[in-house]
Amino acid sequence: MKAISELKQDVINGVFDESFAKLYGTEGIMYARNRYSHLCDEGKARFGDKEAVFFSAPGRTEVGGNHTDHQLGRVLAASLNLDIAAVVVPSHDNVVTYTADEFKAKPVDISDLAIHPEEKNTTESLIRGIAAAFVNHGHKVSGFGCYAESDVLPGSGMSSSAAFEVLIGTIFSDLFNDGTIGSTDVAKYGQYAENTYFMKASGLMDQMACATGGFVAIDFYDRENPVIEHLDLDLDVMGYDLVITDCKASHADLSDEYSLIPTEMKEAAAVMGQEVLSRVSMADLLSHAVEIREKCGDRAFLRAYHFLNETARAKEEKEALQAKDVQRFLDLVNESGRSSFMYLQNVKVNGDAKHQALAVGLALSEEVLGKEGAFRVHGGGFAGTIQAFVPKHLTGKYLETLDGVFGKGSAHVLRIRSIGGCQIG
């Protein structure tokens, strides 16, 4: 471990270039040099010229399985070349100090791992909750100072919160447990913190994609032992760009909307005598349709209908990619998008007719792409971003059209990153 000033000199001298190329591509090396040099300057200003290390945790893109993970279904997801990058100084006490850009969390004393209701929906709750998960499983935790900068768009459906959780978990693992905590456990500890301390219902897909890295198919049917398959996906060879567009509608204050999706799905499952929908069949759902509508409402039935088709569709998407059947894969992505809009109903907030930014983005995508490519709501929905697989000959037109409506720089061409949460160097 080196002093921050020495780390900066190593960055300038290219010592980290090989690592940067793996994370950001060769075209991103100079950007990474400037970024990590700035991390050093800010870290040194806050914590002094102490011994430190670099960490990174990527954002993620959900490709298939919209709102299936919390019902222990199937998903496709990939980590992205947008990440949270951090310089971290072990403090050898029980206090975690986290600062990011212009944001500073309150110092968290992790000798107190009780749930603090007043910390609901805060960064502090996630830090405390992840520390609690580590301790509950017999692992070590200690304090540290962290300065971080993120280019994962907040409220974008790229899971800035999961990237943060994976960052904190990876720091605890590498600094205090010799890096022995596997990516699956890091992901689970992040989900535990989000569910129990942050008090937001969520599945495990976001954390798994951020922690594992690459393009993965995950089957969550066995809660404790999800099946993870790494897929070989080269969009350049396929002839497509992955474009995520920020439709300029924030996820803020929408936690209740997200939480209602797993709540209503579980209510429908309970009518059929199960905890989650992955334990039922379409025949079960249809035979209980009247009872579900009466007890849970029509939307719960529709969301259950979406789940059963969507979890099967994620498996078909995986198989299409394995067979190199690009058109079948794109058709399934479009089917997923239609199901999310029609049955899951997470493209707009009910009762807010004036604000339907995601629907506008989907309409623009259809106009530009026609019968080429694919597009869908991205991530949790209601606000944030849409995703599109754009044929390269249409990428310029697509970016121009989406940026023309939502503002310059709203549409981002992204790359899939092969490495999950990690210490750099």
Side-chain angles (χ1 to χ4, degrees):
M1 197 176 294
K2 295 183 177 181
I4 293 177
S5 58
E6 294 178 276
L7 280 181
K8 179 178 179 179
Q9 196 58 50
D10 283 349
V11 170
I12 294 171
N13 291 339
V15 173
F16 291 97
D17 283 0
E18 183 176 350
S19 296
F20 291 157
K22 291 178 181 178
L23 296 179
Y24 311 112
T26 55
E27 70 277 7
I29 289 175
M30 292 310 299
Y31 169 75
R33 283 192 189 184
N34 292 331
R35 186 183 185 202
Y36 281 79
S37 293
H38 185 254
L39 284 175
C40 289
D41 292 341
E42 296 293 334
K44 182 179 176 182
R46 286 164 171 77
F47 307 117
D49 195 15
K50 298 179 180 178
E51 291 187 335
V53 287
F54 293 132
F55 283 87
S56 164
R60 70 97 179 101
T61 180
E62 169 206 283
V63 177
N66 196 212
H67 279 284
T68 54
D69 55 334
H70 47 69
Q71 300 302 297
L72 304 184
R74 303 181 190 93
V75 303
L76 268 73
S79 58
L80 295 169
N81 58 339
L82 300 182
D83 69 345
I84 303 175
V87 60
V88 179
V89 177
S91 59
H92 307 294
D93 58 19
N94 287 316
V95 177
V96 173
T97 302
Y98 182 88
T99 60
D101 303 333
E102 298 180 358
F103 167 80
K104 181 177 181 178
K106 297 176 183 178
V108 178
D109 184 351
I110 55 175
S111 62
D112 172 14
L113 298 179
I115 297 172
H116 290 234
E118 73 278 6
E119 288 182 346
K120 178 181 180 181
N121 296 337
T122 67
T123 300
E124 293 83 2
S125 71
L126 292 174
I127 294 170
R128 198 182 306 277
I130 295 167
F134 268 75
V135 171
N136 291 345
H137 288 84
H139 306 309
K140 299 175 184 177
V141 295
S142 187
F144 59 84
C146 173
Y147 176 76
E149 293 182 353
S150 176
D151 55 16
V152 183
L153 303 175
S156 66
M158 297 178 200
S159 292
S160 55
S161 60
F164 171 79
E165 292 157 20
V166 168
L167 176 72
I168 299 299
T170 304
I171 292 170
F172 280 140
S173 174
D174 282 20
L175 290 188
F176 311 119
N177 296 275
D178 299 319
T180 58
I181 315 304
S183 58
T184 297
D185 285 335
V186 168
K188 288 180 178 178
Y189 299 164
Q191 183 201 24
Y192 169 79
E194 187 163 333
N195 292 171
T196 308
Y197 283 69
F198 192 82
M199 303 180 195
K200 176 183 175 183
S202 72
L204 187 59
M205 176 188 65
D206 297 349
Q207 294 86 353
M208 285 291 288
C210 294
T212 302
F215 193 94
V216 293
I218 310 172
D219 188 338
F220 292 105
Y221 190 90
D222 183 342
R223 189 191 302 268
E224 297 304 318
N225 301 287
V227 177
I228 305 169
E229 295 179 72
H230 286 267
L231 302 178
D232 181 18
L233 179 71
D234 190 326
L235 289 175
D236 288 333
V237 172
M238 289 170 57
Y240 289 83
D241 285 317
L242 172 63
V243 182
I244 305 292
T245 300
D246 180 3
C247 297
K248 306 301 182 182
S250 173
H251 275 123
D253 302 321
L254 290 173
S255 290
D256 289 344
E257 293 286 348
Y258 303 127
S259 295
L260 279 173
I261 293 177
T263 296
E264 290 179 6
M265 287 185 176
K266 288 180 178 179
E267 287 174 351
V271 172
M272 294 176 278
Q274 298 293 338
E275 180 186 357
V276 290
L277 288 171
S278 60
R279 271 53 178 172
V280 306
S281 66
M282 184 63 75
D284 294 327
L285 178 65
L286 297 179
S287 67
H288 288 82
V290 173
E291 188 177 0
I292 291 171
R293 293 182 66 203
E294 289 176 349
K295 292 184 176 180
C296 311
D298 287 346
R299 190 171 67 177
F301 171 81
L302 293 169
R303 285 176 164 171
Y305 180 78
H306 163 83
F307 168 83
L308 291 174
N309 284 308
E310 184 74 353
T311 191
R313 191 159 32 236
K315 182 173 182 287
E316 291 182 58
E317 288 174 329
K318 178 194 74 171
E319 292 169 348
L321 288 173
Q322 290 172 328
K324 308 296 183 183
D325 189 342
V326 175
Q327 190 56 54
R328 177 59 178 155
F329 167 71
L330 295 173
D331 290 343
L332 289 164
V333 172
N334 281 323
E335 286 181 20
S336 173
R338 287 192 292 271
S339 182
S340 291
F341 206 154
M342 293 171 63
Y343 304 125
L344 183 61
Q345 299 180 37
N346 68 332
V347 169
K348 60 186 179 67
V349 177
N350 286 336
D352 189 3
K354 283 191 173 183
H355 301 99
Q356 299 187 39
L358 295 187
V360 172
L362 296 174
L364 295 170
S365 298
E366 183 172 21
E367 181 62 26
V368 175
L369 298 179
K371 296 185 180 299
E372 299 186 71
F375 57 93
R376 65 194 287 273
V377 63
H378 183 239
F382 299 111
T385 58
I386 60 169
Q387 174 194 79
F389 292 90
V390 182
K392 287 184 176 293
H393 72 93
L394 287 176
T395 298
K397 181 179 179 182
Y398 187 85
L399 297 176
E400 181 182 2
T401 301
L402 275 292
D403 280 355
V405 173
F406 297 113
K408 187 176 180 179
S410 297
H412 304 264
V413 178
L414 301 179
R415 293 188 177 275
I416 294 172
R417 158 174 156 170
S418 63
I419 300 171
C422 64
Q423 182 180 159
I424 301 175

